[in-house]
């Protein structure tokens, strides 16, 4: 009888833990999909079209950008970055190749990191984008960028 009761108790505990893990897994999948959608709808589109209003929907006002381009250090505030986007010829208007590719998205609770590749003008950028979920919306809070050799596609 004690064995049966203990087995039932352990089985119930395992079901609760499994249900909690399943809920967490579903939440992470939903969050990953939300980030993927935001990257497609706002980040890649905003960069391609040179539309700072679209980019503003995914970039948190305090976002900082760091990295290297052509071997030179790259550090900008969001305002400096958006000013550059607003005053350059967009990839769309240039007629040059543009492609944004999501490599991975990792979510833990209210933070996430997306690794993306952006082919733009004559550059190939690998980027790490840090996200934070603020008021149910995923926004980029940090952008790390480096240019890399062209990928074989």
């Amino acid at each position: 009888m004690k064995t049966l009761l203990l087995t039932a108790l352990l089985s119930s505990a395992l079901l609760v833990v499994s249900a909690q893990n399943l809920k967490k897994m579903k939440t992470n999948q939903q969050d990953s999909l939300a980030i993927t959608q935001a990257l497609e709808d706002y980040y890649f589109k905003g960069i391609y079209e040179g539309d700072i209003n679209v980019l503003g929907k995914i970039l948190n006002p305090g976002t900082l950008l760091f990295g290297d381009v052509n071997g030179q250090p790259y550090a900008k505030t969001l305002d400096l970055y958006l000013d550059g986007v607003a005053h350059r010829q967009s990839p769309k208007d240039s007629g040059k190749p543009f492609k944004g590719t999501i490599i991975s998205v990792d979510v833990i609770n209210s933070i996430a990191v997306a690794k993306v590749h952006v082919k733009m003008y004559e550059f190939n950028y690998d980027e790490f984008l840090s996200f934070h979920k603020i008021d149910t919306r995923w926004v980029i809070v940090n952008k790390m960028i480096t240019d890399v050799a062209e990928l074989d596609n």
Side-chain angles (χ1 to χ4, degrees), residues 14-27:
L14 287 174
L15 287 174
V16 168
V17 169
S18 293
Q20 288 173 343
N21 286 340
L22 183 60
K23 181 180 178 189
K24 187 180 285 188
M25 191 166 56
K26 283 182 182 177
T27 301

Side-chain angles (χ1 to χ4, degrees), residues 123-136:
F123 293 101
N124 287 285
Y125 296 112
D126 276 348
E127 302 177 4
F128 291 105
L129 304 171
S130 299
F131 282 82
H132 187 219
K133 192 173 189 179
I134 300 173
D135 297 328
T136 71

Side-chain angles (χ1 to χ4, degrees), residues 60-114:
N60 191 59
T63 299
L64 296 175
L65 301 89
F66 296 98
D68 58 79
V69 177
N70 281 331
Q72 297 301 308
Y74 178 94
K76 292 187 177 182
T77 63
L78 180 60
D79 289 340
L80 284 173
Y81 171 72
L82 292 176
D83 185 61
V85 170
H87 291 96
R88 71 172 183 221
Q89 184 180 34
S90 72
K92 179 181 179 181
D93 293 340
S94 75
K96 293 186 178 185
F98 177 89
K99 183 175 182 187
T101 305
I102 300 168
I103 308 300
S104 64
V105 176
D106 293 316
V107 179
I108 302 172
N109 297 323
S110 67
I111 62 169
V113 175

